Amino acid sequence: MHLTHQRGPLHDLPDTPEAYDAVLADVVEQALARLTPEGNLEHPDCVDDIGDTSLGITSLLALAWQRTKDPRLPDAVRRSLAFHLRERVYVDDNPGYPNLKRRNSSLPYARYTLAPGAHPIGDWPSTVWALLQAVNVLDTADGLADDGQRAELADVAHGYWRWLTEATFFNPQEAGNQAIGCVVGGLMLARHLPPQEGAPVRARALQLYTDEIRAHRVRDRGALLPPEHGGAYDNNYGPISLSFLAQAHRVSGEDVFAEDGDALARYIDARLTGGGFDNGGPRYSEQHSAFESVLGLRYFSTRIGSDLGRYRGDSRWARHAVKADGGVDGHFAWMLVWQIQDTTRWHREPSPAAVRHQLRAGTVSVAFDDRMTPAVVEAGGTYCLPAAVNRQHGFGPVTDGFLLCRPMGEVRVRDVRAEGLTAKLITKPVVGRDHVLRHVRSLYVTDGTTLWTTVAVERLDGTPYLLAGLPYAEDDGDRVRRTAHAAVSSAGTLRLTHPDAQGAEHFDARAELTQEQAAFALAEDPRGYGNPDEGWRHLVSSTALEAGPIADAPDDLHVFAVRYGSQEPFTVSVERSGEGLTVRTDAFTAVIGDIAGDARAEPELTLLV
C-alpha cells in the first residue's frame, strides 16, 4: 500500500509563466461551465470549508483576465462577485459559535458550513480565508468590477477584519497558519483602505503578529516556531505557515517576517529527509499540503540556500484544491494567486553547512529530534522511524527492557567531513534503572549511499541489544510505499522482531496500517481534532530492528554497529588508544576522543579514509 498524501517533490512541478497560464486556462474552462445563473462558482460537492470558495474561483478568474484579457471573464467575475456579496456574507451570529467576544456585532463573517449552527468552530479560519480571497480580488479586479462592487467588497473585507480582531477571540484554535494568514489579510487590506483607516489596520496586524504569534512561539530542535494546533510544528500546516510568512514579507517588507521565516525554513530543512519524507504534528501526522506550501518553500529555499522543494506534497492538490472528482475547488485559492505573482525560483541544491539536528549526504539522511535521537533514518530509499519497547521510543542500547536514549544532562555534537565522508558524533549522559550514569557515544558516518552507525556505552548487564529502528516506508517512484523491511546489516547479530501482543498499542509494520492511522487510534480526541503525536506516545511496542553487540570491543564497553542501506556483511573493530576509541571498518577509521573532550569539553572526532 502507498501512503496517501506523500507523493512527488514539490519542486518537480513546472512553475514557468506558461505552466501557470495553462493551469489558469483549465480553471477558467471549469469555472465558466460551472457558473450558475445566480453566479455561484462553488463545487457541487462542497459542504465544509465552503464560505470562501466561490470568491476564491472569482479571484483566479480575475488573475486570468489580468494575464490574458479573455473577453468571457469580466461578466463571470461581476456575476460571481455579486453572488458572494449577496449570498455568502453573514452578519447574524452563528448559533453555537463559542468564541465571540461581542454578541450581535452585525460584522460580516464567513461560515465553514452554511447550515446555521453546523460546525461553527470553523468560522474563524473560514473568515480569514474569505478576507484573503477578497483582498486578492481587490488586487486584480481593476477594469472588471464596477466602482460600486469594489467599494462594497472593500467594506466587507474591512468588516471581516474587524470580526476576526474585535468580535471574536484571536486565533481561537491556536493554529499558527490561520493566525499568520489573518495578519497577512490585514496587511493586504490596509493597502485598499483610505490612509486614515488603512494605517491603523496595518499597525494592528503587526501588533497581533508580535504579541499574539511571535511571543507565543514554541521551541523545538533549537528553533522558535509559530505554534500549530497546540504543538511546535505540523508537517502539513508548518509549510503553509511558511507560505504565509513569505507573503507577509512580500507585502509588508518587514524584516521580522523574513527572519522568522528563515528560522522556520531552516527547521524544516533539518527535519526533512533527503527524499522529502516527513511525519509528525499535532493534527495531521502524515498528511501533506501541496500548492499551499509552494510559495513559502520556494521563497525561503532561495533565502536560506537549500532545496526545500524536496518536500513531498500531495500531487492531487498540486495546483489548487480539488474534490474527489478532480474538479477545482476555490479553497486556499489565494496561495495559487500568490505563487503565480511571485517570481522567486527554486533553490535546488542542499545547503553545504553542517546542521546540528541533521546528517545528510547523497541519498542518506538522519533527522534528529530535540534529544538528538534519530527521528527518521533514510538510506537505500527506505525510511526507518524510532521503534518502541516497553512504552519507550527511540534508537539506542536496550538492557533488561530499558532503552538508554533519554539524556540526563547536556548532549554534545561534533560534525566532521573528510574525503567524501560525512560524520556526526553525538555524546549524551544517560541513567538506567540501576541509577548508574553512563555515556552513550553514537557515531554516524555516511558516504552518501550507506550509513554506518556505531554506538558505544559502558558495559551493561544481561543481554543488551541496540534498538535500531522501525522499518516503515520506502520510495516507489513518485510515491511512498509502506514497508516492513529495510536493507540493514550488523557487525553483530541482527533480528527483525514484531509485537506478540495485539491491539492499537502494538504497531506491527506488516499490517496495512499507517503511522497516522495508528496514532489517531491512540489519541484522546477524534481524528481531525486529537493530537496524533500524543497518541503515538502511548505505543507500547512495535516492529523493531535489534542488533547485538560486536565481539571485538574493549572489555568495559558494549559496542553496537549497524549499516543502513546495505545487507552486505561488514566488520567493525573498536579498540582503546591514548586518543580515545578507534573504530575501524573497511571504509574508514574514526577516532572518538575521550569523554572529557577538548579544552571546552567538546567531543573530539577524527575521520580517516
Side-chain angles (χ1 to χ4, degrees):
M1 59 179 290
H2 288 109
L3 300 186
T4 304
H5 301 279
Q6 300 208 34
R7 301 183 182 223
L10 291 182
H11 62 202
D12 286 353
L13 292 169
D15 61 349
T16 62
E18 294 76 16
Y20 283 132
D21 283 338
V23 172
L24 288 175
D26 175 59
V27 170
V28 165
E29 297 307 320
Q30 289 193 54
L32 293 178
R34 178 187 301 169
L35 185 65
T36 69
E38 297 79 20
N40 188 353
L41 287 169
E42 293 160 0
H43 191 285
D45 295 338
C46 192
V47 176
D48 295 341
D49 270 321
I50 191 173
D52 66 299
T53 60
S54 181
L55 189 59
I57 299 293
T58 302
S59 72
L60 292 173
L61 297 184
L63 180 63
W65 183 83
Q66 192 181 69
R67 292 167 73 88
T68 67
K69 297 299 186 287
D70 185 331
R72 300 173 297 170
L73 295 180
D75 180 64
V77 168
R78 294 185 191 109
R79 287 170 57 196
S80 59
L81 180 53
F83 168 81
H84 179 85
L85 294 172
R86 184 180 66 249
E87 303 289 343
R88 293 296 179 258
V89 178
Y90 294 85
V91 294
D92 295 328
D93 293 352
N94 198 351
Y97 185 71
N99 297 312
L100 289 176
K101 293 196 299 184
R102 276 172 46 192
R103 297 285 302 277
N104 302 315
S105 68
S106 297
L107 291 171
Y109 67 95
R111 286 188 177 173
Y112 177 79
T113 300
L114 300 182
H119 202 86
I121 193 71
D123 289 356
W124 200 87
S126 289
T127 303
V128 174
W129 310 155
L131 170 61
L132 292 170
Q133 312 285 27
V135 292
N136 271 345
V137 172
L138 290 171
D139 276 353
T140 55
D142 282 339
L144 290 175
D146 59 38
D147 291 344
Q149 267 193 324
R150 286 180 59 85
E152 185 179 358
L153 181 60
D155 187 59
V156 167
H158 196 185
Y160 285 153
W161 170 258
R162 293 188 59 201
W163 187 86
L164 292 163
T165 59
E166 298 175 17
T168 70
F169 289 95
F170 182 79
N171 190 22
Q173 294 185 26
E174 296 183 346
N177 76 97
Q178 297 173 12
I180 304 171
C182 183
V183 168
V184 171
L187 294 171
M188 297 183 69
L189 171 66
R191 305 184 303 183
H192 293 283
L193 299 176
Q196 66 274 17
E197 296 179 4
V201 169
R202 177 186 168 92
R204 176 69 170 144
L206 295 174
Q207 180 191 25
L208 285 169
Y209 182 75
T210 301
D211 296 346
E212 300 296 334
I213 302 171
R214 200 164 198 264
H216 296 278
R217 288 176 298 168
V218 180
R219 185 176 295 278
D220 186 44
R221 308 187 195 189
L224 285 171
L225 309 170
E228 189 54 64
H229 286 286
Y233 174 82
D234 187 284
N235 67 349
N236 177 32
Y237 291 126
I240 296 175
S241 284
L242 193 65
S243 287
F244 282 130
L245 287 169
Q247 182 67 2
H249 186 240
R250 290 182 67 235
V251 301
S252 75
E254 294 288 338
D255 291 340
V256 66
F257 298 117
E259 293 165 2
D260 291 355
D262 288 348
L264 177 55
R266 291 191 178 98
Y267 172 88
I268 294 173
D269 190 34
R271 71 172 288 145
L272 200 59
T273 60
F277 172 84
D278 186 22
N279 76 302
R283 282 290 291 273
Y284 294 116
S285 198
E286 284 180 355
Q287 291 194 36
H288 271 46
S289 51
F291 80 100
E292 315 100 290
S293 301
V294 166
L295 174 67
L297 293 170
R298 191 174 67 193
Y299 190 82
F300 285 101
S301 73
T302 297
R303 284 190 55 89
I304 71 169
S306 194
D307 55 337
L308 293 177
R310 67 187 188 276
Y311 176 94
R312 286 184 181 268
D314 190 334
S315 57
R316 295 167 302 175
W317 280 36
R319 299 301 194 179
H320 46 66
V322 297
K323 290 301 182 185
D325 64 358
V328 63
D329 180 18
H331 186 49
F332 267 53
W334 65 86
M335 285 295 192
L336 178 57
V337 173
W338 297 343
Q339 64 170 276
I340 292 174
Q341 292 171 335
D342 179 48
T343 58
T344 308
R345 299 277 67 85
W346 290 108
H347 183 98
R348 297 180 179 276
E349 299 298 324
S351 170
V355 177
R356 178 179 174 89
H357 292 89
Q358 181 193 63
L359 174 72
R360 183 184 174 200
T363 58
V364 171
S365 65
V366 185
F368 296 90
D369 65 16
D370 228 14
R371 305 179 301 186
M372 290 307 298
T373 296
V376 187
V377 172
E378 173 196 22
T382 300
Y383 305 97
C384 291
L385 303 179
V389 57
N390 290 344
R391 300 183 186 275
Q392 305 158 93
H393 302 185
F395 290 72
V398 177
T399 178
D400 191 27
F402 189 84
L403 174 60
L404 297 167
C405 75
R406 294 170 299 281
M408 182 66 70
E410 190 66 25
V411 180
R412 308 299 184 102
V413 179
R414 176 62 63 93
D415 289 282
V416 172
R417 286 189 173 97
E419 299 183 51
L421 296 178
T422 305
K424 186 183 292 285
L425 172 65
I426 298 170
T427 65
K428 63 173 76 171
V430 299
V431 175
R433 294 195 195 278
D434 56 7
H435 294 265
V436 174
L437 183 70
R438 293 178 172 86
H439 285 82
V440 176
R441 284 168 281 183
S442 302
L443 174 65
Y444 303 85
V445 181
T446 180
D447 60 1
T449 302
T450 57
L451 172 72
W452 290 266
T453 301
T454 306
V455 179
V457 63
E458 286 87 351
R459 196 159 190 86
L460 302 165
D461 295 332
T463 309
Y465 63 89
L466 182 74
L467 192 66
L470 156 64
Y472 179 69
E474 61 186 358
D475 292 336
D476 183 21
D478 286 340
R479 300 294 301 276
V480 179
R481 181 187 296 276
R482 278 280 286 105
T483 189
H485 305 282
V488 179
S489 52
S490 170
T493 60
L494 181 67
R495 57 187 178 269
L496 179 65
T497 65
H498 304 285
D500 294 326
Q502 302 293 312
E505 298 85 2
H506 308 279
F507 187 83
D508 191 328
R510 297 170 297 182
E512 289 198 355
L513 187 70
T514 66
Q515 189 267 353
E516 179 187 359
Q517 292 168 329
F520 267 117
L522 293 169
E524 295 176 345
D525 295 307
R527 181 183 181 87
Y529 303 94
N531 184 334
D533 281 2
E534 288 185 357
W536 187 252
R537 282 192 279 272
H538 295 303
L539 196 69
V540 174
S541 64
S542 74
T543 293
L545 290 161
E546 300 176 356
I550 68 172
D552 191 4
D555 293 339
D556 61 338
L557 295 178
H558 270 121
V559 179
F560 310 88
V562 172
R563 184 168 65 173
Y564 299 87
S566 172
Q567 292 181 296
E568 293 296 318
F570 74 106
T571 59
V572 172
S573 67
V574 179
E575 61 186 37
R576 200 180 299 284
S577 65
E579 297 174 304
L581 289 179
T582 300
V583 179
R584 287 192 174 89
T585 73
D586 291 340
F588 64 87
T589 297
V591 180
I592 302 173
D594 290 332
I595 292 172
D598 61 15
R600 296 176 299 146
E602 293 296 328
E604 294 184 292
L605 175 62
T606 303
L607 190 62
L608 304 171
V609 178

